[in-house]
């Protein structure tokens, strides 16, 4: 891996915030009795979730969003005792477990992407995620025999779903689901659902790199979402997308969680074929799509498959790839301003 494999990629809406704050101020004057809500952040799904509704509204909007994020966190968290995912994992090889409809839906979607990606995206990656422990106090480079032992429990085809009772069964004891590659996207879609129900007209959501722009900016101009520069740890912006509202921009890169050992960087996106951090020379993969859940699954997939193989499996998808040498390539119907 090259030195620049400091791989980073994430989107951050920093570029659009200044412009929007000004609008917010303007709205404040016009709002007459209805307060313009400041942005709010919560810790959930292993990241910081920020919602900025640039709109007059009620405090209870954020209360509802926060409650829904916490609910999703409690159902999807692998390490949350009693979560649906933890219960399914604890019953692997033994019992089928009825899960909440939202967990069932996300898992079903994850399996669809597993199939389409030929197993690059695999929601049964849990044993390998635990083995590497990236971002935890037990992170380490495992031995090859440990990797092979964990790989024996990673196979999305051994997940049995039953629509009749929303149940999930993992065929082999030792298997473990991990929906970390898709759950944030689902959560972002849920935030959008709440915003729509509350008639919020414009907002930006950032769930640890899953950025959604919702509605139209007050001045009618395009939203701008930056893609972080992998080579400097995301301090600078590598490129900026100009987007209409209603799209999600999701980046997978290796800057978010990694450790360095023996001069090599080990990140959190695991190739289910090798059992090791994957992606080769891809530093980040960004997907732009209407569904944040699908964009999330695809960004993880795209990172692992690389541009050409990804576009063969998912033709027509709007995406931006940044390589570890700093080159940027994009595909699809997007307006991209490159800064590298
Ligand atoms: P993301 O940041 O969306 O690319 O997701 C990375 C997270 O997805 C990791 O922290 C793991 O929880 C999980 N993950 C890692 N490798 C895979 C994989 N091959 N397929 C599906 N999920 C994965
Ligand atoms: Mg993802």
């Amino acid at each position: 891996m090259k030195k620049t494999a400091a791989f980073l990629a994430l989107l951050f809406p920093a570029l659009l915030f200044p412009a929007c704050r000004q609008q917010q101020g303007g709205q404040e004057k016009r709002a007459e009795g209805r307060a313009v809500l400041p942005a709010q952040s919560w810790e959930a799904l292993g990241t910081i979730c920020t919602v900025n509704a640039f709109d007059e509204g009620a405090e209870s909007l954020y209360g509802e969003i926060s409650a829904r994020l916490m609910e999703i966190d409690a159902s999807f968290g692998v390490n949350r005792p009693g979560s649906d995912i933890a219960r399914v994992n604890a019953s692997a090889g033994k019992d089928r477990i009825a899960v909440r409809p939202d967990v069932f839906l996300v898992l079903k979607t994850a399996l669809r992407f597993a199939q389409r990606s030929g197993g690059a995206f695999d929601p049964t990656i849990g044993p390998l995620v635990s083995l590497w422990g990236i971002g935890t106090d037990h992170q380490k480079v495992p031995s090859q025999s440990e990797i092979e032992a964990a790989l024996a429990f990673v196979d999305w085809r051994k997940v049995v779903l039953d629509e009749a009772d929303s149940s999930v069964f993992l065929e082999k004891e030792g298997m473990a689901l991990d929906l970390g590659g898709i759950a944030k996207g689902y959560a972002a879609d849920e935030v959008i659902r709440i915003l729509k129900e509350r008639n919020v007209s414009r907002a930006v959501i950032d769930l640890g790199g899953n950025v959604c722009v919702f509605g139209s900016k007050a001045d009618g101009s395009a939203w701008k979402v930056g893609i972080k520069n992998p080579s400097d740890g995301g301090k600078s912006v590598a490129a900026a997308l100009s987007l209409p509202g209603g799209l999600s921009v999701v980046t997978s890169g290796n800057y978010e969680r990694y450790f360095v050992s023996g001069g090599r960087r080990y990140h959190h996106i695991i190739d289910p074929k090798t059992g090791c951090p994957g992606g080769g020379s891809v530093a980040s993969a960004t997907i732009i799509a209407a569904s944040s859940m699908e964009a999330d699954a695809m960004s993880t997939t795209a990172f692992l498959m690389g541009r050409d193989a990804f576009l063969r499996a998912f033709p027509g998808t709007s995406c931006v790839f940044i390589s570890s040498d700093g080159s940027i390539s994009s595909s699809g119907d997007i307006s991209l301003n490159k800064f590298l």
Side-chain angles (χ1 to χ4, degrees):
M1 240 180 267
K2 291 184 184 168
K3 173 159 72 76
T4 42
F7 321 40
L8 284 269
L10 178 83
L11 303 171
F12 69 144
L15 284 180
L16 53 84
F17 277 176
C20 294
R21 288 216 172 96
Q22 279 164 16
Q23 288 164 19
Q24 194 171 313
Q27 282 179 355
E28 223 153 359
K29 287 190 200 102
R30 291 195 303 274
E32 291 183 0
R34 297 193 67 193
V36 176
L37 300 177
Q40 269 202 33
S41 298
W42 306 269
E43 231 182 291
L45 303 160
T47 190
I48 304 294
C49 303
T50 303
V51 177
N52 202 341
F54 302 112
D55 206 351
E56 56 265 41
E59 267 304 318
S60 63
L61 167 70
Y62 283 147
E64 189 179 344
I65 290 171
S66 162
R68 184 68 186 118
L69 288 174
M70 299 310 152
E71 195 173 46
I72 293 170
D73 190 284
S75 322
F76 287 78
V78 183
N79 301 317
R80 288 292 219 107
S83 76
D84 283 17
I85 297 300
R87 290 190 305 116
V88 169
N89 291 350
S91 298
K94 291 180 266 191
D95 296 313
R96 52 201 252 166
I97 296 292
V99 297
R100 294 164 47 115
D102 55 359
V103 174
F104 194 82
L105 168 89
V106 175
L107 183 53
K108 204 169 134 183
T109 308
L111 292 172
R112 187 156 54 81
F113 281 97
Q115 182 169 33
R116 277 188 75 184
S117 67
F121 187 86
D122 192 326
T124 68
I125 200 78
L128 283 163
V129 171
S130 307
L131 178 65
W132 284 88
I134 292 169
T136 69
D137 55 8
H138 61 273
Q139 59 192 14
K140 56 152 194 199
V141 181
S143 68
Q144 191 54 33
S145 61
E146 286 175 310
I147 291 171
E148 275 158 28
L151 272 170
F153 298 104
V154 175
D155 187 352
W156 62 273
R157 288 161 299 199
K158 292 194 168 67
V159 180
V160 183
L161 299 186
D162 190 341
E163 298 267 0
D165 59 355
S166 277
S167 70
V168 183
F169 178 56
L170 305 181
E171 286 182 357
K172 207 166 159 182
E173 190 168 351
M175 285 179 72
L177 296 175
D178 181 321
L179 296 179
I182 187 170
K184 277 187 291 176
Y186 170 72
D189 286 337
E190 281 294 280
V191 173
I192 299 280
R193 179 184 59 75
I194 293 169
L195 294 173
K196 281 185 183 155
E197 280 172 12
R198 295 291 203 111
N199 293 319
V200 172
S201 53
R202 62 186 64 90
V204 174
I205 296 150
D206 181 0
L207 306 191
N210 283 51
V211 176
C212 311
V213 289
F214 173 71
S216 305
K217 280 172 71 180
D219 64 3
S221 65
W223 295 102
K224 289 210 168 21
V225 177
I227 300 176
K228 282 188 175 182
N229 184 357
S231 69
D232 67 4
K235 291 192 186 77
S236 66
V237 178
L241 290 154
S242 297
L243 303 168
L247 289 174
S248 283
V249 182
V250 183
T251 298
S252 288
N254 53 3
Y255 67 99
E256 273 179 334
R257 259 178 291 145
Y258 64 86
F259 68 93
V260 178
S261 174
R264 277 189 67 168
R265 188 179 287 253
Y266 297 92
H267 62 78
H268 68 307
I269 304 174
I270 311 285
D271 185 336
K273 293 194 172 60
T274 63
C276 298
S281 63
V282 177
S284 75
T286 297
I287 304 293
I288 301 98
S291 158
S292 197
M293 170 166 63
E294 294 186 359
D296 194 359
M298 282 193 282
S299 70
T300 309
T301 305
F303 180 90
L304 287 167
M305 293 181 87
R307 185 178 184 274
D308 295 346
F310 173 74
L311 284 169
R312 276 196 298 277
F314 299 87
T317 305
S318 296
C319 52
V320 181
F321 283 81
I322 304 182
S323 302
S324 50
D325 66 4
S327 58
I328 302 175
S329 67
S330 62
S331 182
D333 184 20
I334 50 171
S335 164
L336 183 73
N337 204 356
K338 297 179 190 175
F339 302 131
L340 292 184

